[in-house]
Structure formats: structure tokens, C-alpha cells
Amino acid sequence: MFLLLLALLGLAPAAFAQSGQIEQEALQYFTALLRIDSSNPPGHETRVAEYLKSVCDREGIPGELLGDHPERQNFVARLKGSGAARPLLLMAHSDVVPAERSQWSVDPFGGVVKDGYIWGRGAQDTKSLLAAELAVFVALKRGGAPLQRDVIFLSESDEEAGSSGIQWMIAHAWDKIDAEFALNEGGFAELLAGGKILYNVQTTEKIPTRVKLVAQGTAGHGSMPRADNAVVHLAQAIVRLAEAEQPVRLNATTREYFHSLAGLPEYAQLAPAFAKLDKRGQAAAARREIVRQSPMLAAMLSTSVSPTMLQAGLKVNIIPTTAEAQVDVRRLPDETAAEVLERFRKIVNDPEVKVEKLAGGDQEMPATEPSSRTSVLYRAIEEVVRQDKGPDGSTPAVLPLLLLGATDGAFLRARGMGVYGVPLFPTPVDERRAHGNDERVSVESFAKGVRLLDSIVRKVAQ
């Protein structure tokens, strides 16, 4: 029956000929989830929650839809263990960012499988993880092996806009998700040259901090240039802020990350720069060297600044009184918003430009310490993925990662839970399409990720 489904999806059965039932069912869940349009806004994550409940109901697993809005429900289910250890939480969000359909080569909500890939909005962020966790959860129930700890499955709503889903669960249903640690999104398995894989386990993340620049000037006719033109003040402030070097600051995660990266042959050219990051007076120059070769790596070293929105004027021949810019700031987790704002004001250095937090912006994640790299769960991830030998027989590198983006995991870390972005679905750098057009995951990579997740969960839970 499943091979018939694969044929209908356009996937040659041979591609899954060596796969077990768990990978096959994960693919079935994955394509079904991709066909549910849970674009946020508006969300409608209840459609996802109802699908997940229907699967759990068929398997005899009790689950609940929870939340304060009928169209934006979370879903939570639990497999009971002996209680010898505290629970393990498997979590993934059910909403996705909107898709610009005209820019896609396939229907973004078609759950299309073709050319060796699974296509759809949320394929990478993060319905692949949601499907894999569901498949592992169901397999644990069917297997019937004793569990030393409860395993909780959580699908939370509204991660992409305001994190209201996880915050509601923490405030109103904490007992249903309270766990020793959690597996979440945020890690990634990077496919290197020659088939080698670098496994990045997310243990901490940057904090989105929305900032507004408001410039004041004097209104007037466009034919009479003015020194106190608000648009000019704003433009100069944006350039100063965007071009300023933010201070390099390492934490426990990034210090180990760059130290480990320096030992990999693929990063030998940058190893001398990595070695200077912890040396007084040399860090800024080292970061400049790194940014020339890898802006992504450089972004882990300091707070980042990206002007994204501008607003000024009523008519082309009227000099406006005010001009405003919104800036997407991702600050390091050991910096406060007050520190960042004060530094920005000094950089802008213009009394006609106010630098302030954007009122009504997205919910700001809490600043937390990185999750422990000595926990049972982190060690299990290391042990499992290191068994995935490279083509040359080499042992894969496993590194703790500071995520440049943000996840709901920060809210759980703030409650003392260890949260780890699990590195599944090996992907080349140029195939990272989360939030982009033609988002997709290779069939081979997805199957590998499901197997890895199953091994990690069993090692910790059984």
C-alpha cells in the first residue's frame, strides 16, 4: 500500500527500497503536513493539531489540543515511562512563513515529491522535524519496550510571529510539557565536500531585538535643500550603524565551536583567524578576515544589524518633518537590550535621531545560558551521529552551535530545561532554503534524519 502511495507521489519505489517502516511512515506524515497550509499569519495551526491527534488516536496514544484560540491550538501527547528519569520532550512548531506562490516551481502546499526531493513550505522549517518526531513517537508506542522516562510530543503554534503558543503552554499547561530536556529545531547537519557531514547541535541562540531610528528635521519645499533634512539625518544614521563594527564576544558555545572548527581540514584557511578571536586587540581584525570568507560564521561573533524598513514623506516635493527606519538586530545572548541601545546611540551620534526599541514588535526571547554539553541528551546526540562515518571512514565532527535565528526553545531554557537543536537532514550550504522559495529536503537526507532521531530518542528514553 505504501509503495502505491510513493508511486502516486511521483517517487520511484527504489528510492525507499532499503528503508524501514519508520522512514516510510515519516514520509507519509511529512507530505500530509506540507499539504496543510498553516501560513502565519493567520496560522490556522489547529488544522495541524487535528491531523496529529488523528494519527495518535489511531495508535491509541492520548493527546490534547490546547490553547486560547480555537484556530491556533497546540497539540501535546505523552508516552508513560517508569519514572526512573525525568521526561524527554520532542517539540516542533506547526506554523510556517507565507509563501509567494508565483516564485515557486511547485505548489508550496502540494506536498510534492520529485527529483529526489520533498518540496513545500515548511520542508526545512520545520515540518520535516515535526513529521520525524511523530514517526519516532508512534514507533516507540508500537514497540512496547519499557521506557525509563516519559516521552512527550509537542507541536506548538505561532513560533514564526510571536511565540504565543509556547508561552501559553508554559503559563497554563506547564505540567504537560515539563521535562529534563528537549529536542527542537535549530541544529543542522552540514554536508561538506566528499560526502562528509558536520553535525551542529544548537545549544544557544541569538535574541531578536527590533530597533527603531526616528530622525527629526524641518519640513519645507523640496526645491530648497536644508541641512536639517530628516531623511538625510536618517540615511547617515543607518550607514553609521550598518558599517560600525560591533564588539566580538565569545561564550562557552562559540568558544568551543571555533576551537573545534579550526581543527577541520575544510576550515584550515580560517584557523589562524579563529585562534585570534580570544586575544585582546586581535579579535576585530580576525572577524574582518572571517567575514570575507564566511559572513555566516562572522555573524556568530557579535550582535548583527540589518536595516529592513523605511518610512518618510508624503510627496516627492515636500521635505518631511520625520523619517523612520526599522532595524532587525540579533544580539548575543550575554548582552542586554539596554547595552546594545546605548552603544547604538553612541555610534549614530546625532541628537536629531532617536534610537529606541520598536514598540509592538515581535516577542523578544529571554536571554539564557547555553544548554549543558555534558547532559545525557547531548552525549547521546554525539554518540549517535559519530557512528555515521564519512565515505573515508572518518568520524563526523559534532559541534555546539549558536543559532543566528531564534526558536521557541529560549522560553524553555529560561525555565531551566536543557534544549538542543537536533542536527538532522544533512544539507549543503547552498540548499538551505528555510523561508525561501522552493524550500525542499532530499528524500535520502530525510530518511537519514529519521533514523538518527530514532536512535537518539531510544538511547535516552529506553
Side-chain angles (χ1 to χ4, degrees), residues 1 142 231 311 333:
M1 178 65 183
R142 288 179 184 168
V231 175
Q311 183 177 350

Side-chain angles (χ1 to χ4, degrees), residues 436-453:
N437 300 323
D438 282 344
E439 190 177 348
R440 63 189 188 177
V441 173
S442 80
V443 172
E444 180 182 359
S445 176
F446 180 68
K448 178 191 280 284
V450 173
R451 292 192 295 270
L452 290 173
L453 181 65

Side-chain angles (χ1 to χ4, degrees), residues 85-89 149 177-182 375-377 416-420:
R86 294 188 60 216
L88 165 66
L89 176 65
R149 63 177 84 235
I177 62 171
D178 185 16
E180 181 177 356
F181 29 52
S375 71
V376 171
L377 181 52
M417 189 184 301
V419 183
Y420 301 92

Side-chain angles (χ1 to χ4, degrees), residues 239-253:
V239 171
R240 290 189 192 111
L241 196 56
E243 292 184 348
E245 286 191 337
Q246 302 298 323
V248 172
R249 294 171 67 151
L250 298 180
N251 58 35
T253 291

Side-chain angles (χ1 to χ4, degrees), residues 192-266:
L192 303 175
K196 295 172 64 176
I197 300 173
L198 173 60
Y199 287 96
N200 298 275
V201 184
Q202 191 256 90
T203 60
T204 188
E205 53 201 84
K206 279 190 161 184
I207 303 171
T209 306
R210 316 306 185 189
V211 171
K212 180 172 66 172
L213 308 181
V214 181
Q216 301 291 332
T218 302
H221 199 287
S223 65
M224 295 292 293
R226 307 183 63 94
D228 57 347
N229 186 316
V231 175
V232 174
H233 280 286
L234 180 65
Q236 292 171 339
I238 291 172
V239 171
R240 290 189 192 111
L241 196 56
E243 292 184 348
E245 286 191 337
Q246 302 298 323
V248 172
R249 294 171 67 151
L250 298 180
N251 58 35
T253 291
T254 52
R255 186 170 285 108
E256 180 175 335
Y257 182 83
F258 285 101
H259 175 76
S260 300
L261 214 60
L264 301 180
E266 291 82 3

Side-chain angles (χ1 to χ4, degrees), residues 320-392:
T321 304
T322 63
E324 178 180 312
Q326 294 184 19
V327 184
D328 185 3
V329 175
R330 304 295 173 120
R331 78 178 197 265
L332 294 174
D334 59 351
E335 282 193 300
T336 67
E339 284 181 272
V340 170
L341 288 171
E342 183 59 29
R343 185 167 69 245
F344 286 2
R345 292 182 183 114
K346 291 178 180 177
I347 292 169
V348 169
N349 192 29
D350 186 343
E352 301 304 323
V353 179
K354 292 182 180 179
V355 181
E356 53 195 28
K357 286 189 69 174
L358 179 64
D362 294 346
Q363 173 66 38
E364 185 173 301
M365 280 65 175
T368 64
E369 291 296 315
S371 297
S372 170
R373 301 189 308 283
T374 61
S375 71
V376 171
L377 181 52
Y378 189 88
R379 294 305 189 199
I381 296 171
E382 283 186 313
E383 185 176 339
V384 168
V385 300
R386 281 178 175 159
Q387 294 172 7
D388 184 30
K389 303 295 185 182
D392 59 356

